[in-house]
Amino acid sequence: MDGISIIIPASNEAGHIGPCLAALAEAEAPDCAVEVILSANACRDATVDEAAALRPALAARGWRLAIIERPEPGKPGALNAGDGEARLPARLYLDADVRLSPGLLAEIAELIDRPEPAYASGRLVMTAEGAVSRAYARTWARVPFMAAGVPGAGLFAVNAAGRARWGAWPEVISDDTFARLHFSPAERHAAAAPYHWPVAPGWRALVRVRRRQDSGVREIAARYPALLANDDKAPLGLAGALRLALRDPASMAVYAGVALATRTRRARGWSRAR
């Protein structure tokens, strides 16, 4: 593989982008060229300054850090700007609050180093603050799709043949679902190395983010129904819910309560977990 461009859309990610880039700077280098592109959109904080401070650490690895500053808000626009800046054929799309483990980047690069279209992500490890979010995360992490699938939440990579399956990023709520469903289950590859993905903090944030997630899935189904042929997300079902409830009743109560609360109103647009 000739190389991989790591594209990080970011809006007001001060306090998060630094640790994200620091984890990248400490990652095991893949056997290919690497560049990092921060696509900052409508930032009103120190996101860009914090990212720029990590430029020497990335340069020491021989990796270019490009910083795009866009006044317009919106993640799809930030992704498109990042793709427009990218010089290398494979892409890794990374949320600014995600932290890679040291071995993940090299493992993902190896997984997508093939001529046929390929998609890859790491082993998702949820991090949560507060009793409510920790309880929610325990059940969510045990849902079969999250535990055994390749959800790609916050981090996914595609090779050049895979990225050719769509053009510009459309204005959709769930960009990760849109990308994942361009690949059959057999074309999705799971790395053993983990990455850390934060769960929304507190009840209100959990409900808001769950609404966004559910709305994003409905939007993809309505606008891109052909992609559903690649969906391998089986419903949990009553038997599965009972098994999870028996294993951890308090966690399941929070998880079910959030799911019930999301039905009162549908989300619009894209929002962060925080």
Side-chain angles (χ1 to χ4, degrees):
M1 186 169 66
D2 292 334
I4 186 166
S5 296
I6 302 171
I7 297 174
I8 309 174
S11 180
N12 296 323
E13 295 290 355
H16 298 277
I17 189 61
C20 174
L21 291 177
L24 273 177
E26 296 170 0
E28 177 186 341
D31 189 21
C32 66
V34 176
E35 67 175 0
V36 181
I37 301 167
L38 174 72
S39 188
N41 61 100
C43 288
R44 302 179 303 277
D45 63 4
T47 295
V48 169
D49 292 339
E50 289 188 12
L54 270 295
R55 181 173 273 122
L58 295 168
R61 310 293 305 276
W63 300 351
R64 176 178 81 108
L65 172 62
I67 298 178
I68 303 168
E69 296 187 64
R70 303 176 64 253
E72 303 87 1
K75 189 177 182 183
L79 290 169
N80 284 324
D83 275 328
E85 174 67 26
R87 300 176 180 176
L88 301 174
R91 305 291 157 82
L92 188 151
Y93 299 98
L94 176 65
D95 282 358
D97 54 0
V98 166
R99 301 186 191 184
L100 282 72
S101 64
L104 181 56
L105 178 59
E107 188 175 358
I108 282 180
E110 184 175 354
L111 285 171
I112 63 174
D113 186 12
R114 60 187 74 207
E116 65 272 17
Y119 169 105
S121 185
R123 179 168 55 85
L124 189 155
V125 176
M126 297 183 187
T127 60
E129 297 179 2
V132 170
S133 292
R134 287 195 295 269
Y136 182 86
R138 290 198 303 274
T139 289
W140 195 12
R142 293 167 182 154
V143 170
F145 174 71
M146 300 299 287
V150 191
L155 183 156
F156 58 89
V158 297
N159 60 8
R163 185 60 185 85
R165 287 192 166 170
W166 73 95
W169 290 94
E171 289 287 341
V172 293
I173 297 170
S174 183
D175 56 279
D176 52 355
T177 301
F178 175 81
R180 177 173 54 82
L181 291 182
H182 275 82
F183 299 84
S184 70
E187 295 172 322
R188 300 181 213 140
H189 307 280
Y195 69 97
H196 298 275
W197 182 69
V199 174
W203 178 267
R204 289 186 178 182
L206 285 169
V207 171
R208 184 177 70 249
V209 171
R210 179 64 181 265
R211 282 187 182 129
R212 175 178 64 82
Q213 292 167 341
D214 292 349
S215 294
V217 171
R218 287 191 294 267
E219 179 185 44
I220 297 297
R223 292 178 57 184
Y224 305 97
L227 294 181
L228 299 184
N230 288 327
D231 194 1
D232 60 342
K233 186 189 295 185
L236 180 60
L238 179 59
L242 286 174
R243 284 194 296 270
L244 293 178
L246 290 172
R247 180 173 182 175
D248 192 337
S251 172
M252 188 61 185
V254 173
Y255 184 83
V258 169
L260 182 62
T262 63
R263 299 179 182 178
T264 61
R265 180 168 55 88
R266 292 188 178 184
R268 296 182 180 180
W270 181 84
S271 63
R272 294 293 291 150
R274 298 182 299 279

